[in-house]
Amino acid sequence: MSVLMNILGEKCPKCEKGKVFAEKGNIFLLRMPKMNTSCSHCHHKFEKEPGYFFGSMFVSYAVAVAEMVVFFLIVNQFVESYLTIVIMIAFLSLIMSTFNFRFSRMLWIYLLDGKDKKI
């Protein structure tokens, strides 16, 4: 359970104290999240090599599809027009984009470089 809390709290995978992201970002202000290059507490480097986070795009895609499916199943009970549902899903994916960006990178970091990994 603590790993999930560290992922959601965006903590360093090695020391669990430093923050991975300097800024959370805001889609309405057209600001993307900004990552720290290394942990402020233990100086662990987050991006090991160029293209390290390429795989997190696939994780982000899977998370976004899961959100859309769950949202569709809930909203379909209350809204009859599929066009309205599609518009609502598009708005949901826009709102959740910065969260999905951060969440997918955190999952990727913990998957490849978690506390138990010896790289």
Side-chain angles (χ1 to χ4, degrees):
M1 188 66 171
S2 68
V3 173
L4 180 61
M5 295 309 293
N6 288 337
I7 290 172
L8 292 174
E10 300 170 353
K11 302 286 185 184
C12 172
K14 294 296 180 187
C15 70
E16 300 176 349
K17 292 183 176 143
K19 293 292 245 173
V20 174
F21 286 93
E23 294 179 23
K24 293 194 181 274
N26 187 333
I27 194 66
F28 297 114
L29 298 176
L30 301 175
R31 291 189 186 139
M32 287 301 291
K34 300 247 189 288
M35 273 188 80
N36 293 320
T37 55
S38 61
C39 177
S40 61
H41 189 261
C42 69
H43 305 292
H44 174 70
K45 188 175 178 185
F46 296 126
E47 188 170 1
K48 300 294 182 198
E49 59 191 43
Y52 179 74
F53 290 111
F54 180 74
S56 72
M57 292 188 310
F58 299 103
V59 174
S60 178
Y61 177 75
V63 168
V65 168
E67 290 169 352
M68 290 178 200
V69 167
V70 169
F71 187 75
F72 173 78
L73 293 174
I74 293 170
V75 171
N76 192 33
Q77 305 297 318
F78 305 106
V79 179
E80 293 182 15
S81 170
Y82 285 118
L83 180 61
T84 305
I85 294 173
V86 168
I87 292 170
M88 291 171 74
I89 287 175
F91 188 68
L92 171 77
S93 65
L94 181 70
I95 289 173
M96 297 295 288
S97 63
T98 56
F99 171 77
N100 289 343
F101 178 85
R102 293 189 327 264
F103 185 65
S104 64
R105 283 196 173 204
M106 290 304 300
L107 285 174
W108 194 252
I109 288 172
Y110 271 81
L111 179 69
L112 296 179
D113 201 23
K115 196 169 194 149
D116 297 5
K117 306 292 184 202
K118 305 285 189 230
I119 294 178

Coordinates of all heavy atoms in Angstrom, one line a residue, residues 5-65:
M5 N 0.8 4.7 -2.4 CA 0.8 6.1 -1.8 C 2.0 6.9 -2.3 O 1.9 8.1 -2.5 CB 0.8 6.0 -0.3 CG -0.5 5.4 0.3 SD -2.0 6.1 -0.4 CE -1.9 7.7 0.3
N6 N 3.2 6.3 -2.4 CA 4.4 7.0 -3.0 C 4.2 7.4 -4.4 O 4.6 8.4 -4.8 CB 5.6 6.1 -2.8 CG 6.0 6.0 -1.3 OD1 5.7 6.9 -0.5 ND2 6.8 5.0 -1.0
I7 N 3.6 6.5 -5.2 CA 3.3 6.8 -6.6 C 2.3 8.0 -6.7 O 2.6 9.0 -7.4 CB 2.7 5.6 -7.4 CG1 3.9 4.6 -7.5 CG2 2.2 6.0 -8.7 CD1 3.4 3.2 -8.1
L8 N 1.3 7.9 -5.9 CA 0.3 9.0 -6.0 C 0.8 10.3 -5.4 O 0.5 11.4 -5.8 CB -1.0 8.6 -5.3 CG -1.8 7.5 -6.0 CD1 -3.0 7.1 -5.1 CD2 -2.3 8.0 -7.3
G9 N 1.7 10.2 -4.4 CA 2.4 11.3 -3.8 C 3.6 11.8 -4.5 O 4.2 12.8 -4.2
E10 N 3.9 11.1 -5.6 CA 5.0 11.5 -6.5 C 6.4 11.6 -5.8 O 7.1 12.5 -5.9 CB 4.7 12.7 -7.3 CG 3.5 12.6 -8.1 CD 3.0 13.9 -8.7 OE1 3.5 15.0 -8.4 OE2 2.0 13.8 -9.5
K11 N 6.6 10.6 -5.0 CA 7.9 10.5 -4.2 C 8.9 9.7 -4.9 O 8.7 8.9 -5.8 CB 7.6 9.8 -2.8 CG 6.6 10.4 -2.0 CD 7.1 11.7 -1.4 CE 6.0 12.3 -0.4 NZ 6.4 13.5 0.1
C12 N 10.2 10.0 -4.6 CA 11.3 9.3 -5.2 C 11.2 7.8 -4.9 O 10.9 7.4 -3.8 CB 12.6 9.9 -4.6 SG 14.1 9.0 -5.0
P13 N 11.5 7.0 -6.0 CA 11.5 5.6 -5.8 C 12.5 5.0 -4.9 O 12.4 3.9 -4.3 CB 11.6 5.0 -7.2 CG 12.3 6.0 -7.9 CD 11.9 7.4 -7.3
K14 N 13.6 5.7 -4.7 CA 14.7 5.2 -3.8 C 14.6 5.5 -2.4 O 14.6 4.7 -1.5 CB 16.1 5.6 -4.4 CG 16.4 5.1 -5.7 CD 16.6 3.6 -5.7 CE 16.9 3.0 -7.1 NZ 16.9 1.6 -7.2
C15 N 14.5 6.8 -2.1 CA 14.4 7.3 -0.7 C 13.0 7.5 -0.2 O 12.8 7.6 1.0 CB 15.3 8.6 -0.5 SG 14.6 10.0 -1.3
E16 N 12.1 7.6 -1.1 CA 10.7 7.9 -0.7 C 10.4 9.2 0.0 O 9.5 9.4 0.7 CB 10.1 6.7 0.1 CG 10.1 5.4 -0.7 CD 9.7 4.2 0.2 OE1 9.5 4.4 1.4 OE2 9.5 3.1 -0.4
K17 N 11.4 10.2 -0.2 CA 11.2 11.4 0.5 C 11.2 12.6 -0.5 O 10.4 13.5 -0.3 CB 12.3 11.6 1.5 CG 12.2 10.7 2.7 CD 13.3 10.9 3.7 CE 13.0 9.9 4.8 NZ 14.1 9.4 5.5
G18 N 12.1 12.6 -1.5 CA 12.1 13.7 -2.4 C 11.0 13.6 -3.4 O 10.3 12.6 -3.6
K19 N 10.7 14.8 -4.0 CA 9.6 14.9 -5.0 C 10.2 14.7 -6.4 O 11.2 15.2 -6.8 CB 9.0 16.3 -5.0 CG 8.2 16.5 -3.7 CD 7.0 15.7 -3.6 CE 5.7 16.5 -3.6 NZ 4.6 15.7 -3.7
V20 N 9.4 14.0 -7.3 CA 9.8 13.7 -8.6 C 9.5 14.9 -9.5 O 10.2 15.3 -10.4 CB 9.2 12.4 -9.2 CG1 9.5 12.3 -10.7 CG2 9.6 11.2 -8.4
F21 N 8.3 15.5 -9.3 CA 7.9 16.7 -10.1 C 8.0 18.0 -9.3 O 7.6 18.1 -8.2 CB 6.4 16.5 -10.5 CG 6.2 15.4 -11.6 CD1 6.0 14.1 -11.2 CD2 6.4 15.7 -12.9 CE1 5.8 13.1 -12.2 CE2 6.2 14.8 -13.9 CZ 6.0 13.5 -13.5
A22 N 8.6 19.0 -10.0 CA 8.7 20.3 -9.5 C 7.4 21.1 -9.6 O 7.0 21.8 -8.7 CB 9.8 21.1 -10.2
E23 N 6.7 20.9 -10.7 CA 5.4 21.5 -11.0 C 4.4 20.5 -11.5 O 4.8 19.7 -12.3 CB 5.6 22.7 -12.0 CG 6.4 23.8 -11.6 CD 6.5 24.9 -12.7 OE1 5.6 24.9 -13.6 OE2 7.5 25.6 -12.7
K24 N 3.2 20.6 -11.0 CA 2.2 19.6 -11.4 C 1.6 19.9 -12.8 O 1.1 19.1 -13.4 CB 1.1 19.6 -10.4 CG 1.5 19.0 -9.1 CD 0.3 18.7 -8.2 CE 0.8 18.1 -6.9 NZ 1.0 16.7 -6.9
G25 N 1.6 21.2 -13.2 CA 1.1 21.5 -14.5 C -0.4 21.8 -14.4 O -1.1 21.5 -13.5
N26 N -0.9 22.5 -15.4 CA -2.3 22.9 -15.5 C -2.7 23.0 -16.9 O -2.2 23.9 -17.6 CB -2.5 24.2 -14.7 CG -4.0 24.5 -14.6 OD1 -4.8 24.1 -15.5 ND2 -4.3 25.3 -13.6
I27 N -3.6 22.2 -17.4 CA -3.9 22.1 -18.8 C -4.7 23.4 -19.2 O -4.5 23.9 -20.3 CB -4.8 20.9 -19.2 CG1 -4.9 20.7 -20.7 CG2 -6.2 21.0 -18.5 CD1 -3.6 20.4 -21.3
F28 N -5.4 24.0 -18.3 CA -6.1 25.3 -18.6 C -5.2 26.5 -18.8 O -5.5 27.4 -19.4 CB -7.2 25.5 -17.6 CG -8.2 24.4 -17.6 CD1 -8.4 23.6 -16.4 CD2 -9.0 24.2 -18.6 CE1 -9.3 22.6 -16.4 CE2 -10.0 23.1 -18.6 CZ -10.1 22.4 -17.5
L29 N -4.1 26.4 -18.1 CA -3.1 27.5 -18.2 C -2.0 27.1 -19.3 O -1.0 27.8 -19.4 CB -2.4 27.8 -16.9 CG -3.4 28.3 -15.8 CD1 -2.6 28.5 -14.5 CD2 -4.0 29.6 -16.2
L30 N -2.2 26.0 -19.9 CA -1.3 25.5 -21.0 C 0.1 25.2 -20.4 O 1.1 25.5 -21.0 CB -1.2 26.4 -22.2 CG -2.5 26.7 -22.9 CD1 -2.4 27.7 -24.0 CD2 -3.1 25.4 -23.4
R31 N 0.2 24.7 -19.2 CA 1.5 24.3 -18.5 C 1.5 22.8 -18.4 O 0.7 22.2 -17.7 CB 1.6 25.0 -17.2 CG 1.7 26.5 -17.3 CD 2.1 27.1 -15.9 NE 2.1 28.5 -16.0 CZ 1.6 29.3 -15.1 NH1 1.1 28.8 -14.0 NH2 1.6 30.6 -15.3
M32 N 2.6 22.3 -18.9 CA 2.8 20.8 -18.7 C 3.6 20.6 -17.4 O 4.3 21.5 -16.9 CB 3.6 20.3 -19.8 CG 2.8 20.1 -21.1 SD 1.4 19.1 -20.9 CE 2.1 17.5 -20.7
P33 N 3.5 19.4 -16.8 CA 4.2 19.2 -15.5 C 5.7 19.2 -15.8 O 6.2 18.9 -16.9 CB 3.8 17.7 -15.2 CG 2.5 17.5 -15.9 CD 2.6 18.4 -17.1
K34 N 6.5 19.7 -14.8 CA 8.0 19.8 -14.9 C 8.6 18.8 -13.9 O 8.3 18.8 -12.7 CB 8.4 21.2 -14.6 CG 7.9 22.2 -15.5 CD 8.9 22.8 -16.3 CE 8.5 24.1 -17.1 NZ 7.6 23.8 -18.2
M35 N 9.5 17.9 -14.5 CA 10.1 16.9 -13.6 C 11.4 17.5 -13.1 O 12.1 18.3 -13.8 CB 10.5 15.7 -14.4 CG 9.4 14.7 -14.5 SD 9.9 13.2 -15.2 CE 10.8 12.4 -13.9
N36 N 11.8 17.1 -11.9 CA 13.1 17.4 -11.4 C 14.1 16.4 -12.1 O 13.7 15.3 -12.4 CB 13.2 17.1 -9.9 CG 12.4 18.2 -9.1 OD1 12.4 19.3 -9.5 ND2 11.7 17.7 -8.1
T37 N 15.3 16.8 -12.3 CA 16.3 15.9 -12.9 C 16.8 14.8 -12.0 O 17.0 13.7 -12.4 CB 17.5 16.7 -13.5 OG1 18.1 17.4 -12.4 CG2 17.1 17.6 -14.6
S38 N 16.8 15.2 -10.7 CA 17.2 14.2 -9.7 C 16.5 14.5 -8.4 O 16.0 15.6 -8.2 CB 18.7 14.2 -9.5 OG 19.2 15.5 -9.0
C39 N 16.6 13.6 -7.5 CA 15.9 13.7 -6.2 C 16.6 14.8 -5.3 O 17.9 14.8 -5.3 CB 15.9 12.4 -5.4 SG 15.2 12.4 -3.8
S40 N 15.9 15.6 -4.7 CA 16.5 16.7 -3.8 C 17.1 16.1 -2.5 O 17.9 16.7 -1.9 CB 15.5 17.8 -3.5 OG 14.4 17.2 -2.8
H41 N 16.6 14.9 -2.2 CA 17.0 14.3 -0.9 C 18.2 13.3 -1.1 O 19.2 13.5 -0.4 CB 15.9 13.6 -0.3 CG 16.1 13.1 1.1 ND1 16.5 11.8 1.4 CD2 16.1 13.7 2.3 CE1 16.7 11.7 2.7 NE2 16.4 12.8 3.3
C42 N 18.1 12.4 -2.0 CA 19.2 11.4 -2.2 C 19.9 11.5 -3.5 O 20.8 10.8 -3.8 CB 18.6 10.0 -2.1 SG 17.5 9.5 -3.5
H43 N 19.6 12.5 -4.3 CA 20.2 12.8 -5.6 C 20.2 11.7 -6.6 O 21.0 11.5 -7.5 CB 21.7 13.2 -5.4 CG 21.8 14.4 -4.4 ND1 21.4 15.6 -4.7 CD2 22.3 14.4 -3.2 CE1 21.6 16.4 -3.7 NE2 22.1 15.7 -2.7
H44 N 19.1 10.8 -6.5 CA 18.9 9.8 -7.5 C 18.4 10.4 -8.8 O 17.5 11.2 -8.8 CB 17.8 8.8 -6.9 CG 17.4 7.8 -7.9 ND1 18.2 6.7 -8.3 CD2 16.2 7.6 -8.6 CE1 17.6 6.0 -9.1 NE2 16.4 6.4 -9.3
K45 N 19.1 10.0 -9.9 CA 18.7 10.6 -11.2 C 17.5 9.8 -11.7 O 17.5 8.6 -11.8 CB 19.9 10.4 -12.2 CG 19.7 11.1 -13.5 CD 20.9 11.0 -14.3 CE 20.7 11.7 -15.7 NZ 21.8 11.5 -16.6
F46 N 16.4 10.6 -12.1 CA 15.2 10.0 -12.6 C 15.2 9.5 -14.0 O 14.7 8.4 -14.3 CB 14.0 11.0 -12.4 CG 13.8 11.3 -11.0 CD1 13.7 12.7 -10.6 CD2 13.6 10.4 -10.0 CE1 13.5 13.0 -9.2 CE2 13.4 10.7 -8.7 CZ 13.4 12.0 -8.3
E47 N 15.8 10.3 -14.9 CA 15.9 9.9 -16.3 C 17.2 9.3 -16.6 O 18.2 10.0 -16.6 CB 15.6 11.1 -17.2 CG 15.5 10.7 -18.7 CD 15.0 11.8 -19.6 OE1 14.8 12.9 -19.1 OE2 14.9 11.5 -20.8
K48 N 17.3 8.0 -16.7 CA 18.5 7.2 -16.9 C 19.3 7.5 -18.2 O 20.5 7.5 -18.2 CB 18.3 5.7 -16.7 CG 17.7 5.4 -15.4 CD 18.7 5.6 -14.3 CE 18.1 5.2 -13.0 NZ 18.7 5.7 -11.9
E49 N 18.5 7.7 -19.3 CA 19.0 7.8 -20.6 C 18.0 8.5 -21.5 O 16.8 8.6 -21.1 CB 19.4 6.5 -21.2 CG 18.2 5.6 -21.3 CD 18.6 4.1 -21.7 OE1 19.6 3.6 -21.1 OE2 17.9 3.6 -22.5
P50 N 18.4 9.1 -22.6 CA 17.4 9.7 -23.5 C 16.4 8.6 -23.9 O 16.8 7.5 -24.3 CB 18.2 10.2 -24.7 CG 19.6 10.3 -24.1 CD 19.8 9.3 -23.1
G51 N 15.1 9.0 -23.9 CA 14.1 8.1 -24.3 C 13.7 7.1 -23.2 O 12.9 6.2 -23.4
Y52 N 14.1 7.4 -22.0 CA 13.8 6.5 -20.8 C 12.3 6.4 -20.6 O 11.7 5.4 -20.3 CB 14.5 7.0 -19.6 CG 14.2 6.3 -18.3 CD1 14.8 5.0 -18.1 CD2 13.4 6.8 -17.3 CE1 14.6 4.3 -17.0 CE2 13.1 6.1 -16.2 CZ 13.7 4.8 -16.0 OH 13.5 4.1 -14.9
F53 N 11.6 7.5 -20.8 CA 10.1 7.6 -20.6 C 9.3 7.3 -21.8 O 8.1 7.5 -21.8 CB 9.7 8.9 -20.0 CG 10.3 9.1 -18.6 CD1 11.2 10.0 -18.3 CD2 9.7 8.4 -17.5 CE1 11.7 10.2 -17.1 CE2 10.2 8.5 -16.3 CZ 11.2 9.4 -16.0
F54 N 9.9 6.7 -22.9 CA 9.1 6.4 -24.1 C 8.0 5.4 -23.7 O 6.9 5.5 -24.2 CB 10.1 5.8 -25.1 CG 9.4 5.4 -26.4 CD1 8.9 6.4 -27.3 CD2 9.1 4.1 -26.7 CE1 8.3 6.1 -28.4 CE2 8.5 3.7 -27.9 CZ 8.1 4.7 -28.7
G55 N 8.3 4.4 -22.9 CA 7.3 3.4 -22.5 C 6.2 3.9 -21.7 O 5.1 3.4 -21.7
S56 N 6.4 5.1 -21.0 CA 5.4 5.6 -20.2 C 4.2 6.2 -21.1 O 3.1 6.3 -20.6 CB 5.9 6.7 -19.3 OG 6.2 7.9 -20.0
M57 N 4.5 6.4 -22.3 CA 3.4 6.8 -23.2 C 2.4 5.7 -23.4 O 1.2 6.0 -23.4 CB 4.0 7.2 -24.6 CG 4.8 8.5 -24.6 SD 5.3 9.0 -26.2 CE 5.9 7.6 -27.0
F58 N 2.8 4.5 -23.4 CA 1.9 3.4 -23.6 C 1.1 3.2 -22.3 O 0.0 2.8 -22.3 CB 2.7 2.1 -23.9 CG 3.4 2.2 -25.3 CD1 4.7 2.4 -25.3 CD2 2.7 2.2 -26.5 CE1 5.4 2.6 -26.6 CE2 3.3 2.3 -27.7 CZ 4.6 2.5 -27.7
V59 N 1.8 3.4 -21.1 CA 1.1 3.3 -19.9 C 0.1 4.4 -19.8 O -1.1 4.2 -19.3 CB 2.1 3.5 -18.7 CG1 1.4 3.5 -17.4 CG2 3.1 2.3 -18.7
S60 N 0.4 5.6 -20.2 CA -0.6 6.7 -20.2 C -1.8 6.4 -21.1 O -2.9 6.7 -20.8 CB 0.1 8.0 -20.7 OG -0.8 9.1 -20.8
Y61 N -1.5 5.8 -22.2 CA -2.6 5.4 -23.1 C -3.5 4.4 -22.5 O -4.8 4.6 -22.5 CB -2.0 4.8 -24.4 CG -3.1 4.3 -25.4 CD1 -3.8 5.2 -26.1 CD2 -3.3 3.0 -25.5 CE1 -4.8 4.8 -27.0 CE2 -4.3 2.5 -26.4 CZ -5.0 3.4 -27.1 OH -6.0 2.9 -28.0
A62 N -3.0 3.4 -21.8 CA -3.8 2.4 -21.1 C -4.6 3.0 -20.0 O -5.8 2.7 -19.8 CB -2.9 1.3 -20.6
V63 N -4.0 3.9 -19.2 CA -4.7 4.6 -18.1 C -5.8 5.5 -18.7 O -7.0 5.4 -18.2 CB -3.7 5.5 -17.3 CG1 -4.4 6.4 -16.3 CG2 -2.7 4.6 -16.5
A64 N -5.6 6.2 -19.8 CA -6.6 7.0 -20.4 C -7.8 6.2 -20.9 O -8.9 6.6 -20.7 CB -6.0 7.9 -21.5
V65 N -7.5 5.1 -21.6 CA -8.5 4.2 -22.1 C -9.4 3.6 -20.9 O -10.6 3.6 -21.0 CB -8.0 3.1 -23.0 CG1 -9.0 2.1 -23.3 CG2 -7.4 3.7 -24.3

